[in-house]
Amino acid sequence: MPTETAQSSQAIDVKEYYQMYGPMVYRQCCCLLKSRDKALDAVQEIFLKLFLRRDTMTVQYPMSLLYRMATNYCLDRLRQDRKFVPGENLDLLSNLPYESLVEDRLMAENILAYILKDEKSESHQVAVLFFLNGLTIREIVAETGLAQFRVYRHLERLKRKLRMEGKRERKQASVP
Amino acid sequence: MKENKHPSLEGEFSVFSLEAWLCGQVRPGLQEEVGAWLQADAGARKRLADLQASNRQMLSEHPADWLMGALASRARTVRPRVRAGSLLVRKAWLAIPAAAALLLVLIFHPAGPQPRSDGQHEVDPIIIKGGAAATELTGSLQVHRLVGNAIEVLPDGSEVGPGELLQLSYWISTDAYGMIISIDGRGLVTQHFPLENEANRLRGRKLTLLPYAIELDQAPRFERFYLILAPGPFSAQELLKLIRERLPAVDGRPLPKLDLPPGFVQKALTLVKKPLTGSRRSDRMGRS
């Protein structure tokens, strides 16, 4: 089985892409949107975006691109869903509970709330890959090109930040 | 919350690597290790087999033709006045607020015969008799317009101008088949739904926005939109041909109901065109 495909800059064959990556996109959308119908709609939307940009895009790793597109699309949908409550959707987090990072439910809720923020930072990208997509550190390193220590640092910073937020929230909740 | 803790932060791989393996896109530095992991771990091999089976099932239930048909209909234009280049952008700004606005409208004005200014009903729903039981099929058609950053729902008779961006939505009482067309002041019939190769099955009891916006052209006097419904499948192309054949001359008077074969339900909504000003004013025949 081939283990790497580097694509040239020729126009994307959307049909071929769908046959190769469509099921993966569908699974990812099902996992995040928790609905087969919504996932099928999402597949169409994601491939429509690809279709409209097929002549201008240069894709080296189509699988990574489509995985990111699927994740981003689903996050947008979740952000738009007014009924979405982070505290009730913790099953979206693949790498929870991970005890050294996540001590309690409040932390998990804060992580999910952080992931749902529309942010473009490197920290946010790492958090999405780790907590939402369930990638390991090694996979994140390979996927993002970041050094391993940077990936750890992002997770550690996030942990500290969310711990402090958690403490603050507890403190506020305890004030009568 | 998921109970499956990740076994390690450093030495293991996740399903992501299995997906990459299936696509032949494991990153160069990880290829050998992922291969070794698969050889050593029966659980990983089982998961890989599950993914392969899932791929086969997905592609048999939703083959590439399913996607390509949908994409072709979504990405192409019916007429030049629908701008393809920025469909997604328009969809983004129109779809969500329009849905919210429309929801409010539906709450206060449930679907059903819409009264005209003279108090009469525009179109009465037809009782469809077929199969084991009679089914009442009815629906409503709405038009939304972008004004600044807001979306407004246009009632029947609203005034609109050339260049304005509109989005259509519909609600029907039960699953059915349908099409949406408009006839402008020159008598030109435009099909808005379904687009080419698109199925014309409509989902009932659900507010649905068409995924593309319409830019009004310079056609004079009015643009009248029709939602045409039927309980069973029909050929949109053949019906469109029939409508064109039976369409009376557009002479400035309000358009009558469409002359449709028995069994079809139609709902209509008319937008009045603002008169053009200056050198671009149209003459009575609609020529600019």
Side-chain angles (χ1 to χ4, degrees), chain A residues 1-8 20-21 59-64 142-143, chain B residues 17 19-32 34:
Chain A
M1 183 176 293
T3 51
E4 186 198 2
T5 305
Q7 303 291 312
S8 69
M20 179 63 87
Y21 313 108
V59 185
Q60 191 177 7
Y61 292 104
M63 182 254 175
S64 295
E143 196 59 24
Chain B
S17 286
E19 296 276 16
W21 182 266
L22 275 181
C23 301
Q25 294 203 1
V26 178
R27 293 299 172 95
L30 299 178
Q31 291 165 11
E32 284 186 16
V34 173

Side-chain angles (χ1 to χ4, degrees), chain A residues 1-5 7 14-15 18-24 26-27 31 34 36-37 40-41 43-45 47-49 51-52 60-64 67-68 80 82 90-101 104-105 108 130 133-139 142-144 148 152 155, chain B residues 1-6 8-31 33-34 37 47-48 50-59 61-68 70-72 74-76 84-85 87-88 91 96 100 203 206 211:
Chain A
M1 183 176 293
T3 51
E4 186 198 2
T5 305
Q7 303 291 312
V14 176
K15 189 172 181 178
Y18 173 76
Q19 285 167 332
M20 179 63 87
Y21 313 108
M24 176 208 71
Y26 173 69
R27 279 192 292 274
C31 182
K34 311 285 184 200
R36 285 166 191 254
D37 285 345
L40 285 174
D41 288 345
V43 168
Q44 285 193 9
E45 293 294 330
F47 278 91
L48 178 63
K49 285 183 184 178
F51 181 76
L52 294 174
Q60 191 177 7
Y61 292 104
M63 182 254 175
S64 295
Y67 202 82
R68 270 201 310 278
Q80 290 162 9
R82 291 176 185 174
L90 296 182
D91 58 341
L92 285 175
L93 299 178
S94 299
N95 275 338
L96 286 178
Y98 178 65
E99 288 170 6
S100 70
L101 283 171
D104 56 24
R105 184 184 172 88
F130 183 75
N133 294 337
L135 270 66
T136 63
I137 300 291
R138 296 195 64 193
E139 289 169 331
E143 196 59 24
T144 59
Q148 185 167 307
Y152 273 118
L155 290 173
Chain B
M1 195 180 299
K2 282 179 184 172
E3 291 302 319
N4 53 326
K5 291 181 187 179
H6 208 281
S8 164
L9 281 175
E10 292 180 8
E12 303 295 331
F13 300 99
S14 70
V15 174
F16 181 82
S17 286
L18 296 180
E19 296 276 16
W21 182 266
L22 275 181
C23 301
Q25 294 203 1
V26 178
R27 293 299 172 95
L30 299 178
Q31 291 165 11
E33 289 172 76
V34 173
W37 173 50
R47 187 78 181 96
L48 190 71
D50 290 345
L51 290 179
Q52 285 172 319
S54 165
N55 283 2
R56 284 193 294 272
Q57 186 183 348
M58 169 71 181
L59 292 175
E61 289 175 1
H62 300 282
D65 289 344
W66 163 80
L67 179 80
M68 298 314 288
L71 294 191
R74 297 281 302 277
R76 74 180 288 281
L87 287 178
L88 284 174
K91 188 182 170 193
I96 298 158
R203 291 173 72 178
K206 181 189 173 198

